[in-house]
Amino acid sequence: MHLINELINESDTFERIRDQIIAILVVERDNQKILATNAGENPALWDFKAYRERANPWENWLNDTNDTTPIVNVWFDSDSFDMASSNTVHSQTTEATFNIDIYAHGVTKETVDGQIPGDEQAAVTAHRMLRLTRKILMSQEYAYLGLRGIVERRWVRSRAVYQQELGGNQANNVVGARMALTVRFDEYAPEITTANNLCRLFIDITEDAEGQIILAQTHFDFEND
Amino acid sequence: MGLRDIAEQDLGFILESDTNGFRWPVVITSPDGLTVGDDSENPLYGFSDDIAQIIDPDTGQAVSSRLISVALRISTLTARGLTLPVGIADNNVKKWKVSFDDITGETHTFAISSTNPDRTLGLITCILEHICI
């Protein structure tokens, strides 16, 4: 005989944090491009295409070989529950890893006197994206990823850049990189629908026709509102 | 004439003959601007390949790319005044460039990223990458 009488359709905290990470990156990316333009810089250097939980091969650069806009893909890797900080009835504390994967495409450019090598540009672009995403997510403004009371702590656990495939002979210079973000938070029993005074948290993700994240908004609904 | 000489001559049939193989017109430009094959009365022939290739960037997710190459007869390049093509790393030197049409007739220009010269039989395979000119 069943004992749970409520439909379980509320997102777990890890799903909300996943969406919040991409929301933060998209919002700040758009603002960075505005700031860059206002500062007389090339906004394309702050641009990237944002996706979440994608697994199919990227074909962005297969035919449009001059496109050097990098790709950022955010995905939930795994988490580990901390029994010592949890209770078996109400909530369990967990530490999750979210991967911010970066794909950078470099194209060799011929100059008057020589070249700007594409393989070097791919690596430099990957490093620039690692810098941008880390600085955004580790900004003091996002100490709790904008989810204070839900997120206990967030921390960049590691960064890795993967060398181009040896012997692949591919025509595109592509460098992959990963920033692993560790986030500590609570997951709740299905009967618990509030955390502190927060009743509901809405994170709206808008995708364009190509599936790219173009708009992200977070709404909070508090108990006493 | 030894067997190796005969094999090198056979390259002429395989790579450059209009009746015996899959020859394809190719234009090659050296870093100092010497272009061979752009004259319709004296074209340069070889093999060209442009097929799909998957890149594994080690993230667990693939990137679709292309494997593009040309195969040329070394003795023909030498006879037409070219040194052996090679991948150029220096920023102050232009890369070797190669142009050829795809099967639809659209012309593509690429840079030589690396080469596999076979000095035993006289064949050089040039691995190509995209270039913005």
Side-chain angles (χ1 to χ4, degrees):
Chain A
M1 175 184 163
H2 66 270
L3 298 178
I4 299 174
N5 296 311
E6 301 258 338
L7 176 66
I8 298 173
N9 65 350
E10 192 167 304
S11 298
D12 249 2
T13 310
F14 84 91
E15 297 173 274
R16 297 174 181 177
I17 292 173
R18 175 204 66 203
D19 290 347
Q20 182 70 348
I21 290 172
I22 195 75
I24 291 169
L25 289 175
V26 167
V27 164
E28 296 301 334
R29 172 200 68 190
D30 292 345
N31 191 51
Q32 285 293 308
K33 288 164 63 178
I34 293 171
L35 293 173
T37 301
N38 293 342
E41 301 279 354
N42 179 6
L45 296 178
W46 283 262
D47 195 16
F48 55 86
K49 296 188 176 180
Y51 300 88
R52 61 173 175 174
E53 298 291 345
R54 294 308 186 95
N56 285 340
W58 302 109
E59 300 215 336
N60 302 44
W61 307 308
L62 186 58
N63 298 322
D64 187 1
T65 57
N66 287 330
D67 176 20
T68 53
T69 307
I71 294 169
V72 172
N73 184 36
V74 176
W75 58 282
F76 169 70
D77 187 328
S78 60
D79 64 350
S80 177
F81 286 82
D82 181 0
M83 191 181 293
S85 302
S86 307
N87 67 73
T88 58
V89 176
H90 179 270
S91 62
Q92 296 81 47
T93 301
T94 183
E95 205 159 89
T97 297
F98 296 88
N99 289 327
I100 291 95
D101 281 354
I102 290 158
Y103 301 84
H105 179 224
V107 180
T108 295
K109 288 185 176 56
E110 187 170 88
T111 63
V112 172
D113 300 321
Q115 57 163 314
I116 301 172
D119 51 355
E120 180 184 9
Q121 288 304 301
V124 166
T125 299
H127 296 173
R128 188 174 72 245
M129 284 298 109
L130 277 177
R131 173 220 310 168
L132 183 61
T133 52
R134 187 200 70 78
K135 282 184 181 287
I136 289 174
L137 293 172
M138 290 305 290
S139 163
Q140 295 174 1
E141 304 293 340
Y142 291 114
Y144 302 100
L145 296 178
L147 299 174
R148 187 162 192 163
I150 296 175
V151 169
E152 181 184 328
R153 184 179 64 206
R154 80 329 182 200
W155 188 255
V156 172
R157 194 190 74 220
S158 67
R159 289 184 298 190
V161 179
Y162 307 109
Q163 284 229 305
Q164 289 198 53
E165 199 176 340
L166 179 65
N169 295 330
Q170 54 271 12
N172 297 84
N173 291 298
V174 175
V175 169
R178 171 170 294 161
M179 182 173 77
L181 186 73
T182 298
V183 185
R184 188 175 172 90
F185 53 91
D186 285 344
E187 293 285 16
Y188 298 92
E191 294 81 7
I192 309 301
T193 57
T194 65
N196 296 334
N197 291 325
L198 178 64
C199 288
R200 281 179 291 276
L201 170 66
F202 304 92
I203 301 174
D204 297 328
I205 302 287
T206 302
E207 298 180 353
D208 64 13
E210 296 166 354
Q212 192 191 154
I213 309 289
I214 57 171
L215 181 65
Q217 293 176 315
T218 305
H219 310 278
F220 299 90
D221 188 6
F222 290 91
E223 201 171 51
N224 296 320
D225 282 354
Chain B
M1 180 181 291
L3 286 176
R4 269 176 65 178
D5 295 308
I6 295 173
E8 198 282 333
Q9 279 198 335
D10 286 344
L11 278 178
F13 292 114
I14 296 168
L15 293 177
E16 300 169 344
S17 167
D18 61 348
T19 58
N20 297 316
F22 288 87
R23 79 173 189 182
W24 200 256
V26 172
V27 177
I28 185 167
T29 302
S30 69
D32 53 13
L34 175 60
T35 299
V36 170
D38 59 337
D39 179 1
S40 59
E41 304 216 341
N42 193 13
L44 173 70
Y45 291 108
F47 278 0
S48 73
D49 280 313
D50 186 350
I51 61 173
Q53 169 88 324
I54 282 287
I55 297 175
D56 175 10
D58 278 343
T59 58
Q61 191 172 0
V63 178
S64 293
S65 181
R66 291 147 72 176
L67 173 59
I68 310 171
S69 67
V70 292
L72 302 167
R73 190 179 179 193
I74 292 177
S75 60
T76 299
L77 297 177
T78 304
R80 299 187 63 168
L82 288 173
T83 57
L84 216 55
V86 69
I88 303 291
D90 289 352
N91 290 11
N92 59 356
V93 180
K94 294 186 180 185
K95 282 189 183 286
W96 286 79
K97 293 194 293 291
V98 172
S99 299
F100 55 87
D101 291 355
D102 62 21
I103 199 64
T104 68
E106 185 179 352
T107 303
H108 303 276
T109 300
F110 307 100
I112 293 178
S113 62
S114 65
T115 59
N116 295 323
D118 179 350
R119 293 180 176 83
T120 303
L121 293 180
L123 170 74
I124 183 167
T125 302
C126 304
I127 306 300
L128 307 177
E129 63 168 326
H130 297 296
I131 186 169
C132 182
I133 299 174

